[in-house]
Amino acid sequence: MNINLTILGQIISFAIFVWFCMKYVWPPLVAAMEERQKQIADGLSAADRAKADLGLAHEKVAEQLREAKDQGAEILDAANKRASQIVEEAKDQARVEADRIKLAAQAEVEQEVARAKQALRTQVASIAIAGAEKILRSSIDEAANSEIVEQLAAEL
Amino acid sequence: MSSAEMTSGDYIAHHLTNLTFGKKIDGTWGFAADGAEAAQMGFFALNVDTFGFSLALGVLFLYIFRKVAKTATAGVPGGLQNVIEMAVEFVDGNVKGMFHHKNSMIAPMGLTIFCWVFLMNVMDLVPVDFIPHAAALIGIPYLKVVPSTDVNITMGMALSIFLLVLFYSVKMKGLGGFAGELALHPFGKWGMPVNLFLETVNLIAKPVSLGLRLFGNMYAGEMIFILIALLPFYVQWTLSVPWAIFHILIITLQAFIFMVLTIVYMAMAHDSHE
């Protein structure tokens, strides 16, 4: 266990190693670590910002959704109203049409009835005349008695 | 060193002898043949083994860290960069916690001390005979592989720190301020001789305790490994394994203590007591 030159050698190498470490090892390592720290801090704050943005977007979406729903409901309302209106109109038209058809049919029926009556009347008159003819035979002049027969037919 | 005739005492003494290069008694330069000759060489001799390993480990530390530092990325760090950043962050945290002045040298110095001392201590975990035996095969008679079991190495570092303490004490407080701190401190100006004595002892005790603590711990640990190695080979593992596991704690702790005390001493050198 002798103290000798080794101690000086160690002192010198210690000085050189510390100098080297201080000059070439420590600064780049610490710089890289600080840079990473900064990046992480930036990343975290960006994430926070994004979160806040997301919250805002959610609110906006909810608001737009509510508006859309309201609009939808309005449109639906209007459509319903319009539909019932159309139905009413159609009903009215149908009623009018039906009335018209009914009236036309009635008129036709009346016309038909009148025509039938007319035909009946003439047939009855001729039948009556034929009957009377058979009964009276030759004595009755068709022309002279036609007035009476017509009167008879009108009364039928 | 034919181990058949070797006594335990020889074995231990062999393990504790440095490979020393210096001027022999007959005036020639060369490696000392044994411990006694190494002692005769006096101050102008070099412990080639411990100093060599110390240098190699320091260069290894700087090489690895420099390699990583050159390619250090702020993005996702790779495996090695992760480990090294952990070390850097650990040292940086300690320095920031203890040293509140502006000095860009302290943190790199702390890192150098921590890693270098750690690497020097780690050599203690290499089985005690591996490297010396291998060296013996190529004709090197003595080889101590754990630099921190050489008091020159540990005291060299402690003295470097002592010099820095003196330098920064004078730089931060001025020569007068530093002298005043030494002369006027515990008892005021009427107790000046006592103050001077106490404070000087206090000052000297710092490097001595710093260097000898590391040396003592590692020397004792190494000695226990050597003693275990004297046992029959089939029982050695029952002791050497637990001791090695325990020693992992010690080598890390001693490196940490050396670094922390350095930081504390530097902080004290910067602090003025006003």
Side-chain angles (χ1 to χ4, degrees):
Chain A
M1 222 26 68
N2 321 303
I3 295 288
N4 58 24
L5 275 180
T6 313
I7 199 167
L8 271 182
Q10 183 73 6
I11 290 176
I12 293 164
S13 25
F14 179 71
I16 293 171
F17 287 169
V18 168
W19 167 82
F20 186 89
C21 182
M22 187 174 134
K23 192 105 181 166
Y24 297 108
V25 173
W26 189 264
L29 282 173
V30 169
M33 284 158 70
E34 274 171 2
E35 172 70 19
R36 182 174 322 119
Q37 252 173 13
K38 207 175 133 283
Q39 280 178 4
I40 290 172
D42 287 355
L44 285 179
S45 65
D48 279 349
R49 262 202 312 281
K51 222 188 224 167
D53 285 355
L54 190 67
L56 280 179
H58 270 313
E59 265 172 41
K60 221 176 193 171
V61 165
E63 198 180 320
Q64 280 181 351
L65 212 62
R66 210 166 35 245
E67 268 174 30
K69 260 185 199 161
D70 287 354
Q71 265 179 9
E74 261 171 43
I75 289 171
L76 206 65
D77 250 19
N80 275 338
K81 234 180 260 172
R82 179 88 188 108
S84 53
Q85 201 181 335
I86 287 172
V87 167
E88 284 305 315
E89 274 174 15
K91 270 186 190 164
D92 286 352
Q93 270 179 7
R95 208 171 289 130
V96 168
E97 185 74 3
D99 286 351
R100 195 175 59 76
I101 289 171
K102 213 155 72 184
L103 280 176
Q106 245 165 16
E108 208 171 323
V109 165
E110 272 164 21
Q111 232 170 23
E112 207 60 32
V113 166
R115 208 178 298 130
K117 274 183 181 167
Q118 191 61 41
L120 209 55
R121 218 174 273 138
T122 36
Q123 271 184 12
V124 167
S126 57
I127 289 171
I129 291 168
E133 232 172 22
K134 271 177 187 167
I135 298 165
L136 301 177
R137 247 332 127 189
S138 56
S139 61
I140 296 169
D141 177 18
E142 200 171 317
N145 295 334
S146 67
E147 198 185 335
I148 303 165
V149 171
E150 259 173 33
Q151 223 168 24
L152 204 67
E155 271 168 27
L156 280 173
Chain B
M1 49 166 291
S2 49
S3 48
E5 307 154 23
M6 216 179 200
T7 65
S8 304
D10 288 344
Y11 177 81
I12 295 171
H14 174 259
H15 264 290
L16 296 181
T17 306
N18 280 300
L19 179 67
T20 311
F21 185 87
K23 194 177 182 185
K24 296 184 183 179
I25 281 196
D26 57 12
T28 57
W29 288 80
F31 290 104
D34 51 32
E37 195 177 13
Q40 279 173 340
M41 287 172 173
F43 184 75
F44 291 97
L46 189 68
N47 295 340
V48 178
D49 49 0
T50 45
F51 185 58
F53 276 109
S54 155
L55 269 186
L57 292 167
V59 169
L60 176 73
F61 150 66
L62 287 176
Y63 169 73
I64 293 173
F65 273 61
R66 175 64 188 153
K67 206 175 124 196
V68 171
K70 257 199 291 197
T71 56
T73 148
V76 179
L80 188 57
Q81 194 187 340
N82 234 337
V83 172
I84 276 161
E85 281 187 6
M86 252 165 71
V88 168
E89 210 152 51
F90 171 68
V91 172
D92 200 35
N94 274 302
V95 171
K96 281 192 177 125
M98 286 180 269
F99 186 84
H100 303 292
H101 302 271
K102 223 174 121 60
N103 190 336
S104 59
M105 192 194 72
I106 304 300
M109 184 166 77
L111 181 71
T112 310
I113 288 173
F114 182 66
C115 295
W116 195 14
V117 171
F118 178 76
L119 285 174
M120 291 198 285
N121 292 350
V122 159
M123 294 302 288
D124 214 358
L125 293 178
V126 179
V128 280
D129 279 323
F130 270 24
I131 302 177
H133 263 258
L137 291 180
I138 56 167
I140 297 169
Y142 298 104
L143 197 67
K144 271 181 85 173
V145 297
V146 191
S148 43
T149 58
D150 183 353
V151 75
N152 287 295
I153 301 291
T154 60
M155 281 315 288
M157 299 185 76
L159 275 181
S160 310
I161 287 149
F162 183 59
L163 293 176
L164 285 172
V165 166
L166 291 182
F167 173 75
Y168 280 111
S169 292
V170 172
K171 190 184 169 195
M172 302 305 287
K173 301 162 199 165
L175 204 53
F178 183 46
E181 202 170 78
L182 288 182
L184 301 174
H185 217 256
F187 298 123
K189 58 182 172 179
W190 299 113
M192 199 178 286
V194 183
N195 293 344
L196 210 54
F197 173 72
L198 285 175
E199 287 292 321
T200 309
V201 168
N202 190 10
L203 191 68
I204 303 295
K206 283 177 191 171
V208 172
S209 67
L210 187 63
L212 291 186
R213 174 185 302 108
L214 178 60
F215 164 69
N217 271 282
M218 300 323 294
Y219 188 80
E222 175 80 344
M223 186 63 105
I224 289 174
F225 276 123
I226 294 170
L227 291 178
I228 291 171
L230 286 172
L231 295 171
F233 72 91
Y234 47 87
V235 290
Q236 280 182 16
W237 65 272
T238 57
L239 291 172
S240 63
V241 168
W243 180 241
I245 292 171
F246 181 57
H247 217 58
I248 293 173
L249 182 70
I250 294 181
I251 60 179
T252 320
L253 192 66
Q254 286 306 320
F256 175 66
I257 288 174
F258 204 98
M259 177 195 77
V260 166
L261 285 178
T262 302
I263 299 168
V264 168
Y265 291 160
M266 295 309 290
M268 283 162 75
H270 283 67
D271 281 336
S272 54
H273 287 278
E274 306 322 315

